Amino acid sequence: MTSLALTRESIARVRPGPAVAAVLIALFLLLFLVVPVVQVIFVAFQDKTTGAFTLINFADFFRNDLFMRSFWNSFYVSAMSVVVASALALPLAYLTTRFEFRGAVLIQSLGIIPLIMPPFIGAVAMQLLFGRNGTVNLLLRDHFGITIPFMEGLNGVIFVQSIHYFPFILINLSASLKNIDRAMEESAQNLGCHGFRLFRRIVFPLAMPGYVAGASLVFIKVFDDLGTPLLLNVNDMLAPQAYLRISSIGIADPMGYVISVVLIVCSLLALWVSALAMKGKDYATVQRGGGGLARRRMKPLELVAAYAVVLLILVLVLAPHIGLTLLSFATIWSFSPFPDAFTMKHYGTVFLESGQYITNTLLYASLAALLDVVIGTAIAYLVLRSKLPGRQWLDYIAMAALAVPGVVLGIGYLRSFYDVPMPFTGQPLSGFWLILVFALAIRRLPYALRACTAALQQVSNSLEEAAENLGATKLRTISRVVVPLMSGGILAGFVTSFATAAVELSATIMLVHSQSDAPLAYGLYVYMQSAAGRGPGAALGVFAVVIVGLGTYLSHVIIERGRRERGQDH
Amino acid sequence: MSRTLHGVAAALAVLLASSTAAFAQDPSGKLVVVTSFPKDLTSAFQQAFQKAYPKVTLEVLNRNTNAGVKYLQETASNNGTDLFWASAPDAFEVLKGANLLQAYKPKVEGIPEKVGAYPINDPEGMYAGFAASGYGIMWNSRYMKANDLPAPKEWSDLAKPVYYDHVAISAPSRSGTTHLTIETILQGEGWEKGWRTNKEIAGNYRTITERSFGVPDGVNSGSFGIGIVIDFFALSSQASGFPVEFVYPTVTTIVPANIGIVKNAPNKAAAETFVDFILSPEGQEVLLQPAIRRLPVNPATYAKAPADYPNPFKDTSLGSQVNFDVEVSQARYNVVDALFDQLITFQLDGLKAATRAIHQADAALAKKPNDKAKALLAEARDLVAAMPVTAQEAADPQLAGAFTVERKSATDAVPERQAQVEQKWAAFAKDNYAAARKKAEEALALAR
């Protein structure tokens, strides 16, 4: 083992490839993440009156009841969301990957759809269905005289967040489960291990990298998410506190930026803890016989129970979409379980106006997602397989993007790139649409990176070594052996990046310079701000979900087909 | 595809227009407007303007007021925006203070000096009012019926126990228009009494929304019953068919919504034309459309309004009660916002618990009077109403200095940091509300 590592190290020293890749990635991160963010959070370390360096603002943070309360609320909500999201994701992932289950692909695609819902619209739809005077509670009150506080205070945030973000766990866990070697499960079964014990002792531990990757994403994402608590008017959490501070006029104090720093530090801590949990464990399996799946046939009774569970979860996670669809066809929906009447009018309104939004969104989100998986794979490879000094930092810095509030990144971009004129046109660089792509890519990079890292963790080193021993070059080994074996994880990364980038609002709203360059989320925001009814906004939202859903499904099909073809080559 | 259509339409329009010589010196090119107004309003004006001036391409960028101001500040070095178009006069004051606006005197005639007690135009001509709005109370009639609630009339009605947990407002620090509502109550009733009213109403809040739009939205959908809103939110919701109603309380302010030309506007000529257009009779008429429903600043336009349309130029009771003092408002602007946030928004649970206890004790006392309990209850009410700063202190530039970054000079010492001040106020409120609740509970025990 040691001698192998040594040879690998010496190879890395001879080949400039990894070093060049690392430098390029570092430059990209520096230019589009570190510099803009530092430009903004610099204020956190400044004495307001003298401009000198100080830590007094951080002392103020810890002495302030409101901030400490917000801190604990954020922590509690994030932890609970991970619990609830796991409860939703585990059965779906396990049933659809380990058993013969009709419609598994459909269910897995449906599992991605919650991500396509812009959180600020998801919360609106959830209020209509589950709010104090939403459909469910109005019906319950009429028929049984009771109400259930789904959406009250922190509960509401946990409810909406777990439904919105559980796909992170589902996707990563499914990818992991698929990659587990059938032989492991079969050996355990041969040795007499069955049922839940088999899952708990063999399957789940082997799928840990995917679960931890997903769970840490959910934790950090909920910790940093702004849209949902704001829409539910829960403002004693950290992200809303930062946003309220940063974006109000007149109150130009450093605390908003202090909170941003706290958010970034907490996210890094969460990642560090999850990395510690994975440390010193080897999850890679060598054999790749037929995709590693061992699908069991279920007994009839099991099958019924499984369908019941899956259906229940599906109805729950699709609730925001059901609400949005109802709203998009509704004339007036006010204090009643269902809309007064239905109409097609709203679709007519947005149909003519939304073409530009849709093409822009598809372009921006797919470019951003592509950039993400390329960089994500490269970083994962550098971190796990190269011996470059300081490589871990690429991972940390890229992940820190998760915790940078969109507004902070948006303002940072304006500050860093506004005075840089574009070649030829002279228009400010920050007004060029490619900047939107970079902002989206940076914000979504952590998703792709976690997915790629988890995928690479499951690919054994020895496969690479074997290829190299047979004379393949490093580049060829990576492109013909490593990347194909990682394709499940890369797909997961691409899909999450694409779907979430397509509905990102907070950074884009700051950077959109002209209507013709605006993406869907901007259009949704504009349509939703109308006292005359949100029907057209909901209709555009349904458009968005359908189109992004189709895009997601297509990429799924294409990459799956590629996988299968390669599988047959072997 | 829509671009091509637009292109064809524009080309046709140009052909038509060029046939008349009168359009010879028309402005042309791209006109960029940053606005916080909803699409209903902007696209109506966009259509009307594009029809009248086909050579100008109007590009509307939608950002909320605060983000819009931030955007103009960040992009000032290479400005690409021609116009800033929003409700809150104070946002324009911020831009004016930062020297980001350009003076222009509209050519349109017949627009009065004042609407209600508020001047329509900025005295230095940096921005102009084009529509007026008042503040009031909006409610969902289905919700009110289901919960058996009477219709409110005045701000003080909202403090009644019957409305407990039914009212909503947006935070004044987040919504320029709500800030004006709070400031109007403070100026109309005086600092101490005004805060007492504000906090008594706040004790009945169901929620405090982050955006001003969240309030009409919640009333429309019925997630809460009553909202404190700017009039057009309610009027346009009503015109669009929602079961909502609206009333102006006696103490209200009618204030103009404004437009201003941005300094170094790339297309100044077109920007001036747009300002004149929205003040012209045809521009003003757009405001009457059902999805917009704002009050025109041109009194002549009301002749074309539907029956029952509020008219601040005729109905002099609207907004006349309060002589709104912009200077006073300006001096304590950030302090009022921060006080509201620290005493109400972020202490709402404590405040509501105290209010509920007071309501319960009050109801019990009405059935079984008890002098000692009555005194206790009065103490509890005073504890809730108590303020950590006086009107004088609130207007003190030293205190205000804790909330701004701009210092006149390096020697201008700021005695305390904002975070310190806020923590002090929050602790004050928390302790007072807890004490008030305890006293009210004691009173209730005595009255039983």
Side-chain angles (χ1 to χ4, degrees):
Chain A
M1 213 41 214
T2 342
S3 63
L4 262 180
L6 274 177
T7 34
R8 283 169 48 77
E9 200 173 350
S10 50
I11 289 168
R13 212 173 289 147
V14 178
R15 290 174 208 276
V20 171
V23 167
L24 282 178
I25 292 170
L27 270 180
F28 179 80
L29 291 178
L30 196 69
L31 194 60
F32 293 106
L33 176 63
V34 178
V35 169
V37 171
V38 167
Q39 288 247 17
V40 178
I41 61 174
F42 184 56
V43 182
F45 298 95
Q46 253 185 340
D47 188 300
K48 213 167 100 178
T49 40
T50 61
F53 175 83
T54 176
L55 287 175
I56 187 78
N57 299 324
F58 286 87
D60 279 344
F61 176 88
F62 289 105
R63 278 197 295 249
N64 189 304
D65 288 347
L66 173 64
F67 294 149
M68 290 322 282
R69 189 171 82 207
S70 305
F71 183 83
W72 290 118
N73 282 347
S74 284
F75 191 84
Y76 168 76
V77 165
S78 307
M80 284 309 290
S81 299
V82 170
V83 172
V84 179
S86 302
L88 293 173
L90 272 172
L92 281 185
Y94 188 64
L95 287 172
T96 52
T97 52
R98 310 307 284 176
F99 294 93
E100 275 185 22
F101 197 80
R102 287 172 71 87
V105 177
L106 179 72
I107 288 169
Q108 297 215 340
S109 307
L110 285 178
I112 298 166
I113 291 182
L115 286 180
I116 304 169
M117 174 72 70
F120 63 101
I121 288 181
V124 167
M126 295 288 277
Q127 278 280 27
L128 284 168
L129 295 178
F130 297 103
R132 189 167 64 149
N133 297 312
T135 308
V136 171
N137 275 331
L138 282 179
L139 290 176
L140 283 178
R141 195 178 306 156
D142 286 354
H143 296 287
F144 305 103
I146 53 159
T147 56
I148 303 174
F150 299 101
M151 301 291 290
E152 307 293 307
L154 298 180
N155 282 348
V157 184
I158 295 169
F159 189 42
V160 175
Q161 299 281 35
S162 359
I163 284 184
H164 187 243
Y165 288 119
F166 91 93
F168 283 139
I169 298 182
L170 177 61
I171 296 171
N172 284 301
L173 188 59
S174 302
S176 267
L177 284 170
K178 274 189 196 156
N179 271 349
I180 294 173
D181 196 324
R182 165 190 301 180
M184 295 283 177
E185 208 173 345
E186 279 169 1
S187 330
Q189 279 170 319
N190 287 342
L191 292 171
C193 181
H194 290 285
F196 188 65
R197 188 180 157 83
L198 175 70
F199 175 77
R200 192 167 52 88
R201 299 295 296 270
I202 308 292
V203 180
F204 191 70
L206 282 171
M208 268 309 262
Y211 178 74
V212 171
S216 58
L217 273 182
V218 171
F219 183 90
I220 296 170
K221 206 52 218 158
V222 174
F223 202 77
D224 153 71
D225 183 53
L226 177 65
T228 305
L230 273 189
L231 250 147
L232 299 176
N233 302 313
V234 174
N235 44 30
D236 44 1
M237 288 176 61
L238 280 187
Q241 282 295 328
Y243 173 76
L244 295 178
R245 293 271 169 167
I246 290 170
S247 63
S248 29
I249 7 165
I251 303 186
D253 75 327
M255 293 317 287
Y257 304 98
V258 169
I259 301 172
S260 299
V261 174
V262 171
L263 280 173
I264 294 171
V265 169
C266 287
S267 300
L268 289 178
L269 270 179
L271 285 171
W272 182 65
V273 169
S274 73
L276 274 190
M278 306 300 301
K279 207 168 181 179
K281 291 178 187 153
D282 189 4
Y283 296 92
T285 41
V286 181
Q287 279 173 332
R288 292 276 146 188
L293 279 205
R295 287 178 190 263
R296 261 208 311 128
R297 212 179 272 273
M298 275 185 279
K299 291 172 204 129
L301 209 65
E302 283 177 332
L303 202 64
V304 171
Y307 268 110
V309 169
V310 168
L311 275 179
L312 185 76
I313 295 177
L314 274 185
V315 168
L316 203 56
V317 300
L318 291 180
H321 301 80
I322 297 167
L324 188 73
T325 311
L326 277 176
L327 186 61
S328 72
F329 287 109
T331 48
I332 295 291
W333 191 358
S334 174
F335 202 78
S336 58
F338 296 102
D340 293 2
F342 293 97
T343 171
M344 286 296 293
K345 196 179 70 188
H346 308 312
Y347 283 92
T349 313
V350 295
F351 191 71
L352 290 172
E353 301 172 21
S354 54
Q356 195 74 44
Y357 293 142
I358 289 168
T359 43
N360 285 340
T361 297
L362 291 179
L363 178 70
Y364 299 168
S366 46
L367 280 180
L370 198 64
L371 207 56
D372 281 342
V373 291
V374 170
I375 298 177
T377 311
I379 294 180
Y381 194 84
L382 288 170
V383 169
L384 291 176
R385 299 291 155 89
S386 84
K387 299 283 175 200
L388 283 178
R391 59 193 186 281
Q392 199 65 44
W393 279 97
L394 286 178
D395 190 305
Y396 293 155
I397 294 171
M399 288 309 289
L402 203 54
V404 176
V407 205
V408 171
L409 197 70
I411 294 176
Y413 272 34
L414 283 180
R415 283 199 188 160
S416 309
F417 305 124
Y418 196 76
D419 288 326
V420 183
M422 290 257 300
F424 309 117
T425 63
Q427 149 199 33
L429 183 59
S430 66
F432 183 45
W433 62 267
L434 209 54
I435 282 291
L436 276 171
V437 173
F438 287 147
L440 291 176
I442 286 286
R443 296 260 297 158
R444 272 31 188 181
L445 181 56
Y447 304 168
L449 178 55
R450 284 282 63 86
C452 294
T453 305
L456 189 58
Q457 272 171 337
Q458 290 186 316
V459 177
S460 170
N461 251 347
S462 45
L463 290 171
E464 248 176 282
E465 283 151 11
E468 280 173 65
N469 287 343
L470 292 171
T473 61
K474 195 88 201 162
L475 204 63
R476 196 173 156 79
T477 310
I478 293 175
S479 65
R480 296 300 297 272
V481 177
V482 180
V483 169
L485 286 174
M486 286 171 67
S487 61
I490 292 180
L491 167 69
F494 182 88
V495 165
T496 29
S497 298
F498 173 82
T500 54
V503 292
E504 147 97 36
L505 177 70
S506 50
T508 39
I509 193 118
M510 227 40 209
L511 292 170
V512 170
H513 273 247
S514 76
Q515 271 173 318
S516 52
D517 284 344
L520 256 179
Y522 172 89
L524 280 174
Y525 171 80
V526 171
Y527 272 110
M528 278 290 182
Q529 302 288 319
S530 161
R534 296 165 307 189
L540 187 59
V542 171
F543 266 135
V545 172
V546 169
I547 284 162
V548 181
L550 275 179
T552 311
Y553 180 71
L554 269 182
S555 54
H556 201 103
V557 168
I558 291 167
I559 300 178
E560 274 293 319
R561 187 183 297 153
R563 248 159 82 100
R564 223 171 298 135
E565 276 163 12
R566 268 195 307 274
Q568 279 154 3
D569 283 346
H570 283 281
Chain B
M1 194 189 79
S2 59
R3 251 184 185 171
T4 338
L5 270 178
H6 269 138
V8 172
L12 277 175
V14 168
L15 267 179
L16 279 173
S18 55
S19 58
T20 44
F23 284 85
Q25 318 133 316
D26 266 6
S28 58
K30 194 170 83 168
L31 181 62
V32 180
V33 185
V34 170
T35 179
S36 69
F37 291 132
K39 202 179 163 61
D40 303 312
L41 187 146
T42 55
S43 56
F45 275 103
Q46 206 168 6
Q47 277 167 21
F49 183 70
Q50 227 70 89
K51 215 167 122 198
Y53 298 93
K55 278 193 248 169
V56 184
T57 322
L58 190 65
E59 172 118 14
V60 177
L61 284 186
N62 205 296
R63 288 194 165 83
N64 74 42
T65 310
N66 296 329
V69 169
K70 266 252 152 49
Y71 176 77
L72 288 185
Q73 287 172 335
E74 296 289 341
T75 59
S77 56
N78 186 4
N79 178 42
T81 310
D82 296 293
L83 289 159
F84 185 67
W85 198 21
S87 281
D90 32 85
F92 284 86
E93 282 299 318
V94 171
L95 289 176
K96 185 176 154 187
N99 199 15
L100 290 173
L101 295 175
Q102 184 162 298
Y104 174 65
K105 192 178 181 318
K107 294 190 190 73
V108 182
E109 286 181 7
I111 293 173
E113 289 268 298
K114 281 185 164 189
V115 57
Y118 211 101
I120 290 181
N121 294 323
D122 173 47
E124 285 153 65
M126 291 298 180
Y127 53 94
F130 76 98
S133 314
Y135 302 97
I137 306 165
M138 162 185 189
W139 63 89
N140 183 318
S141 35
R142 290 184 195 168
Y143 181 104
M144 302 293 264
K145 203 173 152 220
N147 286 286
D148 213 7
L149 299 176
K153 269 203 194 71
E154 297 291 342
W155 298 124
S156 55
D157 286 346
L158 296 182
K160 290 178 181 164
V162 63
Y163 296 118
Y164 181 81
D165 212 27
H166 292 302
V167 188
I169 193 172
S170 61
S173 58
R174 308 294 313 146
S175 149
T177 53
T178 310
H179 176 92
L180 277 166
T181 311
I182 299 298
E183 182 64 43
T184 301
I185 296 176
L186 293 181
Q187 291 201 11
E189 300 188 352
W191 180 261
E192 297 288 336
K193 173 108 195 313
W195 274 113
R196 185 182 280 266
T197 305
N198 272 321
K199 286 201 229 170
E200 278 171 2
I201 299 172
N204 284 341
Y205 285 159
R206 162 86 194 142
T207 186
I208 295 173
T209 69
E210 189 269 323
R211 302 161 308 152
S212 49
F213 178 67
V215 180
D217 195 30
V219 177
N220 279 346
S221 68
S223 35
F224 39 80
I226 305 166
I228 296 172
V229 294
I230 191 163
D231 54 7
F232 69 88
F233 274 148
L235 298 173
S236 61
S237 297
Q238 200 176 32
S240 311
F242 282 99
V244 294
E245 280 170 74
F246 176 79
V247 67
Y248 291 104
T250 323
V251 179
T252 185
T253 305
I254 301 282
V255 286
N258 304 286
I259 188 160
I261 300 176
V262 180
K263 191 156 196 176
N264 300 323
N267 196 349
K268 193 163 165 256
E272 290 174 353
T273 311
F274 187 76
V275 173
D276 282 322
F277 175 78
I278 63 171
L279 292 172
S280 71
E282 67 224 274
Q284 290 283 294
E285 266 170 50
V286 174
L287 295 169
L288 303 176
Q289 290 184 11
I292 303 177
R293 294 277 145 122
R294 293 212 179 199
L295 312 181
V297 289
N298 192 337
T301 310
Y302 288 90
K304 303 208 167 147
D308 295 338
Y309 206 84
N311 182 346
F313 297 103
K314 223 161 143 195
D315 179 2
T316 45
S317 72
L318 277 186
S320 59
Q321 190 90 2
V322 189
N323 206 345
F324 195 85
D325 189 332
V326 190
E327 304 245 307
V328 169
S329 160
Q330 206 60 44
R332 64 191 188 195
Y333 195 94
N334 293 325
V335 176
V336 168
D337 279 352
L339 278 169
F340 191 96
D341 273 348
Q342 298 305 321
L343 304 181
I344 297 175
T345 312
F346 301 137
Q347 301 296 338
L348 192 59
D349 290 344
L351 176 57
K352 282 178 77 170
T355 306
R356 194 172 175 76
I358 290 173
H359 286 167
Q360 281 168 346
D362 210 23
L365 272 177
K367 282 189 206 130
K368 195 180 158 197
N370 175 322
D371 281 345
K372 201 172 161 216
K374 213 174 140 193
L376 273 172
L377 201 56
E379 279 177 53
R381 287 207 161 98
D382 289 343
L383 274 169
V384 169
M387 289 303 292
V389 284
T390 62
Q392 217 169 7
E393 284 165 346
D396 183 351
Q398 265 222 321
L399 181 59
F403 297 91
T404 49
V405 264
E406 293 99 330
R407 286 164 302 134
K408 299 281 182 293
S409 74
T411 51
D412 272 3
V414 175
E416 283 176 303
R417 293 183 302 281
Q418 180 178 348
Q420 282 177 305
V421 177
E422 288 179 346
Q423 169 61 22
K424 217 166 63 187
W425 292 348
F428 174 90
K430 196 176 161 195
D431 295 347
N432 274 12
Y433 298 154
R437 182 180 172 182
K438 224 173 133 225
K439 286 212 192 296
E441 278 163 358
E442 278 171 40
L444 179 64
L446 285 174
R448 274 206 177 123

